[in-house]
């Protein structure tokens, strides 16, 4: 059982480069944590099309944007109209999503959490999910804009 969990953002990457990065790090399942699983700018990253691309490369796809998305519909998750990650982390839907990620990891599947923002420094996948997992003993590895791994983010 591995305690490694990767994160990745697609940003302006092509689907080919994105999949090459997933293959480089031997990702077996991609968990989409976008609140809204579509892209206005790149149709390859709309959930259904993305899932087809991944299936064609033997990578599983799972959408957990309702549970782990950075813009929840629950208005109790906001303070002064800003998303409050501590409030989200106290919600049942977040706990359900995190438990799903942990269970998948415990099954031995090499996992990556995906959002649209390429840099983990500016994305909820780091501040909301990655920091939470790291505080609970996971080795969170962020695939950065240039494809390298960032372990320590400040």
């Amino acid at each position: 059982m591995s305690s490694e969990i990767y994160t990745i953002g697609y940003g302006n990457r092509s689907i080919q480069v994105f999949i090459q990065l997933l293959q480089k790090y031997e990702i077996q399942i991609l968990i989409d944590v976008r609140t809204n699983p579509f892209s206005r700018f790149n149709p390859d990253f709309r959930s259904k099309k993305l899932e087809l691309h991944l299936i064609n490369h033997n990578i599983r796809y799972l959408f957990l944007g309702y549970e782990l998305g950075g813009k929840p519909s629950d208005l109790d998750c906001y303070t002064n109209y800003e998303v409050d990650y501590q409030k989200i982390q106290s919600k049942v839907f977040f706990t359900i999503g995190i438990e799903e990620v942990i269970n998948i990891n415990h099954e031995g599947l090499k996992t990556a959490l995906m959002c649209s923002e390429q840099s983990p420094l500016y994305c909820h996948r780091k501040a909301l999910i990655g920091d939470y997992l790291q505080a609970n003993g996971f080795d969170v590895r962020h695939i950065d804009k240039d494809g390298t791994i960032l372990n320590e983010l400040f």
Side-chain angles (χ1 to χ4, degrees), residues 22 26-30 58-61 108-112:
L22 296 177
E26 301 174 343
I27 301 302
Q28 296 169 295
I29 183 167
L30 183 75
N58 297 314
I59 301 170
R60 291 174 45 191
Y61 173 85
L109 292 173
K110 204 155 187 189
T111 305

Side-chain angles (χ1 to χ4, degrees), residues 44-80:
D44 285 320
F45 290 95
R46 293 179 181 153
S47 62
K48 293 298 178 193
K49 196 161 187 183
L50 175 60
E51 184 173 13
L52 289 174
H53 284 295
L54 294 171
I55 288 169
N56 288 331
H57 291 88
N58 297 314
I59 301 170
R60 291 174 45 191
Y61 173 85
L62 176 64
F63 176 71
L64 289 179
Y66 299 119
E67 297 85 353
L68 300 176
K71 298 176 185 172
S73 59
D74 184 341
L75 297 179
D76 290 339
C77 294
Y78 296 81
T79 301
N80 297 323

Side-chain angles (χ1 to χ4, degrees), residues 71-149:
K71 298 176 185 172
S73 59
D74 184 341
L75 297 179
D76 290 339
C77 294
Y78 296 81
T79 301
N80 297 323
Y81 305 103
E82 295 289 325
V83 176
D84 187 325
Y85 293 150
Q86 285 186 322
K87 287 182 178 180
I88 294 173
Q89 290 172 347
S90 72
K91 296 293 183 176
V92 171
F93 61 81
F94 180 82
T95 302
I96 290 169
I98 284 293
E99 287 177 358
E100 182 73 14
V101 171
I102 291 169
N103 289 337
I104 288 167
N105 182 265
H106 286 171
E107 290 173 14
L109 292 173
K110 204 155 187 189
T111 305
L113 306 173
M114 182 205 76
C115 197
S116 60
E117 176 59 52
Q118 222 170 21
S119 173
L121 294 172
Y122 305 109
C123 185
H124 82 286
R125 72 179 188 273
K126 185 259 184 230
L128 173 63
I129 306 165
D131 289 354
Y132 183 91
L133 289 168
Q134 199 158 15
N136 286 281
F138 286 86
D139 178 12
V140 180
R141 298 175 175 223
H142 302 281
I143 302 171
D144 199 19
K145 291 183 275 189
D146 63 0
T148 60
I149 296 294

Side-chain angles (χ1 to χ4, degrees), residues 7-24:
T7 80
I8 188 169
Y10 61 85
N12 61 359
R13 291 184 174 115
S14 69
I15 191 67
Q16 293 81 12
V17 169
F18 183 78
I19 289 174
Q20 286 171 352
L21 285 171
L22 296 177
Q23 291 172 325
K24 175 181 178 180

